[in-house]
Amino acid sequence: PMENFRRMSKAETEAEKKTAQKEFVRDVKKHIEDISKKYILTDEGTIDYALMYIPSEAIYYEVVNSDTDLVDFSHKKRVLPVSPTTFYAYLRAILMSFEGQKIEQKARDILSAIRAIQKDYQKVDENLGILNKHVGNAYNMMAQVATSFSQLGQKISSTSAIGGGTQDKAEQIED
């Protein structure tokens, strides 16, 4: 495209300029098409757009400002023209996008871990409820057994007293 750009810039007549401009646009479109086919391979893991570095600000402005069809074509092909001035800004935006994706992935991982913790909490809560019920039942059963044991002890004591009192009277009679 550089050669046709120079011809377009140095053209003396309007017809020469128009011819050179058409050839320039054709060359740039071919370049955009080549970049799109060669570098945008999403099946192979590339991102779905490419940057077309234009090393001259003048050519960049010609590509971006002179022909809206050229800009529309580049957007349709997912090729973004960049100049020395805009290249850094595009790279920073892409970097920020990747960092945002990393943050988003980490947030998903954290939410997944929290959901797993919630499930574990619910299981432990359920198990604690069952254990509490068993401990309560065991406590109540122990209280019942203790009461029964105490009553049994009282009965044994009262039976001893009855038997002991009879034995004492029998001993007194023998004397």
Side-chain angles (χ1 to χ4, degrees), residues 45-61:
T46 67
I47 55 178
D48 65 343
Y49 59 90
L51 300 179
M52 178 177 71
Y53 182 71
I54 302 171
S56 167
E57 292 292 331
I59 296 174
Y60 171 77
Y61 288 115

Side-chain angles (χ1 to χ4, degrees), residues 70-87:
L70 192 56
V71 173
D72 292 341
F73 181 77
S74 72
H75 287 277
K76 187 175 13 171
K77 292 295 182 177
R78 312 276 301 153
V79 175
L80 307 171
V82 295
S83 71
T85 305
T86 61
F87 185 57

Side-chain angles (χ1 to χ4, degrees), residues 4 20-30 62 66-67 69-70:
N4 285 322
Q21 185 176 20
K22 283 182 184 180
E23 290 175 9
F24 173 76
V25 168
R26 185 194 70 226
D27 289 348
V28 172
K29 281 185 175 182
K30 183 181 179 329
E62 184 65 31
S66 72
D67 192 343
D69 289 339
L70 192 56

